[in-house]
Amino acid sequence: MTKKAGRASAAQTVYDMTKELILSGELSAGTLISEGEIAQRVQVSRTPVREAFLRLEAEELLALHPKRGAVVVPVPAGEAADVLELRQALEQSAAERIAQDGLAADDEARLRELVARQRELAEAGDLNGFAAADEAFHRGIVEVSGNRLASRFYATLGDRQRRMSMSALRPRPQRLHVLADEHETLLTHLTAGEAAAFGHALRAHLAATHGSPERPADKR
């Protein structure tokens, strides 16, 4: 392995680890971290840490402060409302397409397996694992609809969706079991081709989990 390739590999390792710490909530919004701290944790030099931090800054997860380090960026005001609005629109559209074309047996099995996995994670109290499975379930609904453009766009919401779920569920771990039940209800509407009922259930599901986040313009 060349020196350049080794540095790139180290930067990827730092990026993956730091991003996971942010998305899981272990590094909460406002937390200050230094290059030296992360370099020591991963046992690498500061150069790959700096490269990883620049990537995370570009993704709006870190704000870099010269000679101080980096601060974990909070979810911007209004972004949560925007994400929920897009999720509702994309998943509702997916449900309408599924109602028209039907849900293939293997696609239904895939979604049921994700719900079963969520029940296992809820029983184990694995909040981080549940948040990842939650995102996979909702993304799966869009994917099985067959709209590839919608699937690619929905995937870009994954990090924000997971971070929002961790923030919403950490104070209420008991809601994990309820979420799995609500996902079962959503799946029932999908398999029955009940797009309107799915939309109503989804809106209630998102509101119960995340509330009704305000946009900045609403706070007048």
Side-chain angles (χ1 to χ4, degrees), residues 8-197:
S9 176
Q12 184 65 45
T13 298
V14 174
Y15 167 83
D16 290 340
M17 185 204 73
T18 308
K19 185 172 184 176
E20 178 61 26
L21 291 174
I22 295 171
L23 296 182
S24 69
E26 188 170 337
L27 288 177
S28 58
T31 300
L32 176 67
I33 57 177
S34 68
E35 290 180 3
E37 173 189 347
I38 298 298
Q40 184 175 19
R41 185 166 182 168
V42 189
Q43 294 296 297
V44 297
S45 70
R46 293 194 180 198
T47 300
V49 176
R50 192 172 301 116
E51 293 174 4
F53 277 17
L54 286 170
R55 286 180 64 186
L56 292 167
E57 181 184 44
E59 295 178 16
E60 300 180 338
L61 292 174
L62 288 180
L64 303 187
H65 298 275
K67 300 182 180 179
R68 290 184 57 210
V71 174
V72 178
V73 176
V75 176
E79 183 175 285
D82 291 342
V83 170
L84 293 178
E85 183 178 303
L86 287 171
R87 287 183 58 189
Q88 179 75 39
L90 289 169
E91 293 183 48
Q92 176 69 53
S93 177
E96 291 170 0
R97 179 177 282 214
I98 290 170
Q100 177 179 333
D101 300 338
L103 184 63
D106 56 341
D107 289 334
E108 179 182 348
R110 169 189 169 187
L111 294 175
R112 290 199 182 282
E113 184 177 337
L114 284 168
V115 174
R117 177 60 178 157
Q118 290 164 25
R119 295 194 186 283
E120 293 174 359
L121 293 165
E123 191 64 32
D126 185 346
L127 180 58
N128 192 30
F130 189 97
D134 173 84
E135 188 275 332
F137 174 79
H138 285 280
R139 173 166 41 84
I141 290 172
V142 179
E143 289 175 347
V144 301
S145 75
N147 187 325
R148 294 182 180 180
L149 288 176
S151 295
R152 285 201 294 268
F153 182 78
Y154 196 96
T156 67
L157 302 175
D159 290 346
R160 290 177 170 82
Q161 183 176 338
R162 184 177 165 205
R163 197 176 182 197
M164 286 171 57
S165 293
M166 291 297 296
S167 176
L169 296 174
R170 191 178 295 279
R172 301 181 293 164
Q174 70 280 4
R175 181 158 170 74
L176 298 185
H177 294 281
V178 177
L179 279 175
D181 289 339
E182 292 176 353
H183 289 162
E184 189 79 52
T185 298
L186 290 173
L187 184 50
T188 297
H189 290 313
L190 279 182
T191 56
E194 300 167 346

